[in-house]
Amino acid sequence: MRHLPAVLHAFRVLASQPVEAGRVRTWQEDVRTRAGPAALALDEAGNRMLLVRLTRHQRVVEDRRSAAVTIERVVLVEDGTERPFVRVRCVRRHLDDVFALLTAEMLQALEEGVDQPDLACAGVLRRWRELLDRPTERGLTDAQVVGLYGELWYLRELVRHDSSALDAWHGPLMARHDFRRGLVAAEVKSTLSATSLQVEVHGFEQLQPPNGGQLYLVTVRLEVAEDGETLADLVEEVVTLGADASVLTALLAAVGAPPTELEQHRGKRFRVRETRCYSVIGDFPRLVPESFVTGRPPGGVVSVSYRIDLTHEPPVPASEDVARGVVQRLARGGDV
């Protein structure tokens, strides 16, 4: 998320004045390709764009499959000269904050693979396509509210130690783990069950530690309480503790929880009854590629979801000191 604050600032500045008909207003970013710098832009309709300069004869693999975001080769007039660009454009205004996240990731990808800007951008777009094409009327389900509550509650614990810990929240970025800093990662699972502790795992990699690092599974048992906190309450306190409000808003938009959606759930109040922290090592119950003799899932198996039961020991939760240490390392960027 290194580029995200700058991207959000640039789009705010671009939107502060109207754009002339038939023109675009640009904000140059400090990311260079073979042919020149990348730029953020806004057209007269208010559509946000990422523009990447091309060499004159450079080919582009275009992508128009998403109704929200497209990648195309366009020719624009710059300083009186026609020049070719890769244009990544978002045409759905309700996705502005999500597109800012997408753009920030694309800028990072361009830094890592600048020779083929269209392919670098397309790789990021592929990961985000399902989110971008999600129907606009779909809100958070009750299960999603519970899951998001647990993540925001854990985020608040991190931000209490360091306001920059917002950078550790990777869940909205469609990353493997909900939280990560350096070689330390945490996956947060929440439940309303009062009698059992079962959590659902998605995919073969969700409980796979980062390379050379350590993964922890944090369970958060909630209960409905009239004097509890809402999603909006948690968000407000995270901001009060010093987290960047615009970055947090963009992250929440990516999980389907913009401010209007948070307001829809003002009546849902929860209290944390119990938390546990497990070190995901050894014979911890899970399915990962190494669980198979070949070191990978059987051919044709592309995804899986399963439930693990942590109601009874083993596995044994880590001590409170270890759990606090995980929070501190995630908040302050320390490795294992």
Side-chain angles (χ1 to χ4, degrees):
M1 287 196 300
R2 184 169 63 84
H3 292 286
L4 183 56
V7 168
L8 290 167
H9 172 71
F11 280 132
R12 281 197 300 269
V13 173
L14 288 169
S16 64
Q17 297 179 0
V19 181
E20 295 180 27
R23 300 179 64 88
V24 297
R25 180 180 293 113
T26 61
W27 179 288
Q28 187 167 299
E29 280 292 304
D30 187 23
V31 177
R32 299 193 65 84
T33 71
R34 281 190 307 175
L40 304 179
L42 206 69
D43 66 16
E44 60 183 294
N47 297 318
R48 295 183 172 191
M49 294 180 285
L50 170 65
L51 298 173
V52 186
R53 181 98 58 80
L54 297 170
T55 56
R56 185 164 298 279
H57 302 292
Q58 193 168 355
R59 294 176 177 268
V60 169
V61 178
E62 297 188 331
D63 189 333
R64 299 186 181 92
R65 289 174 291 167
S66 173
V69 176
T70 56
I71 300 176
E72 300 170 297
R73 186 184 190 275
V74 297
V75 176
L76 301 174
V77 177
E78 183 183 47
D79 298 327
T81 303
E82 290 189 343
R83 301 183 189 279
F85 290 84
V86 170
R87 181 182 68 187
V88 185
R89 181 172 63 170
C90 178
V91 296
R92 290 185 176 174
R93 300 301 303 281
H94 70 279
L95 291 173
D96 279 354
D97 286 330
V98 178
F99 185 69
L101 280 166
L102 183 75
T103 302
E105 281 208 30
M106 287 181 173
L107 288 171
Q108 183 168 334
L110 287 168
E111 288 182 321
E112 298 168 356
V114 295
D115 286 343
Q116 296 178 281
D118 55 328
L119 299 184
C121 293
V124 176
L125 179 58
R126 278 195 298 272
R127 292 197 301 108
W128 285 78
R129 191 178 303 280
E130 181 181 353
L131 174 62
L132 293 167
D133 290 339
R134 181 182 298 169
T136 59
E137 66 275 6
R138 180 174 147 188
L140 295 176
T141 65
D142 288 343
Q144 289 171 327
V145 169
V146 169
L148 179 57
Y149 188 98
E151 290 187 43
L152 286 172
W153 177 86
Y154 198 68
L155 175 63
R156 182 175 63 181
E157 296 301 298
L158 270 60
V159 173
R160 279 175 172 162
H161 288 275
D162 190 327
S163 61
S164 70
L166 180 57
D167 287 344
W169 191 25
H170 289 190
L173 302 177
M174 305 183 74
R176 183 195 303 179
H177 303 124
D178 293 328
F179 294 88
R180 180 171 175 179
R181 273 276 184 90
L183 297 178
V184 183
E187 186 66 24
V188 177
K189 300 290 185 180
S190 304
T191 181
L192 280 173
S193 174
T195 57
S196 65
L197 183 59
Q198 296 184 4
V199 299
E200 187 164 352
V201 182
H202 305 283
F204 295 110
E205 295 187 338
Q206 194 171 58
L207 291 187
Q208 188 175 37
N211 294 336
Q214 178 61 56
L215 172 64
Y216 296 89
L217 175 65
V218 177
T219 62
V220 182
R221 194 192 298 270
L222 305 175
E223 63 180 358
V224 177
E226 291 185 2
D227 61 344
E229 295 176 297
T230 67
L231 292 176
D233 291 335
L234 292 175
V235 169
E236 290 167 9
E237 187 167 356
V238 168
V239 172
T240 299
L241 289 168
D244 188 312
S246 59
V247 172
L248 181 57
T249 298
L251 291 169
L252 289 167
V255 295
T260 52
E261 180 67 19
L262 294 178
E263 288 300 317
Q264 296 295 318
H265 300 281
R266 280 280 187 183
K268 298 175 182 177
R269 295 182 173 274
F270 305 99
R271 181 168 51 220
V272 174
R273 293 183 60 238
E274 175 197 59
T275 64
R276 298 182 186 179
C277 179
Y278 296 89
S279 180
V280 183
I281 56 174
D283 58 356
F284 188 89
R286 55 182 168 153
L287 286 177
V288 292
E290 292 76 12
S291 301
F292 302 92
V293 175
T294 60
R296 58 185 179 185
V301 178
V302 295
S303 65
V304 65
S305 293
Y306 60 96
R307 298 182 69 82
I308 58 176
D309 192 343
L310 300 172
T311 308
H312 306 291
E313 299 178 1
V316 179
S319 67
E320 290 186 7
D321 286 343
V322 169
R324 281 194 295 268
V326 173
V327 169
Q328 292 170 0
R329 281 183 284 169
L330 284 170
R332 295 170 180 166
D335 291 332
V336 176

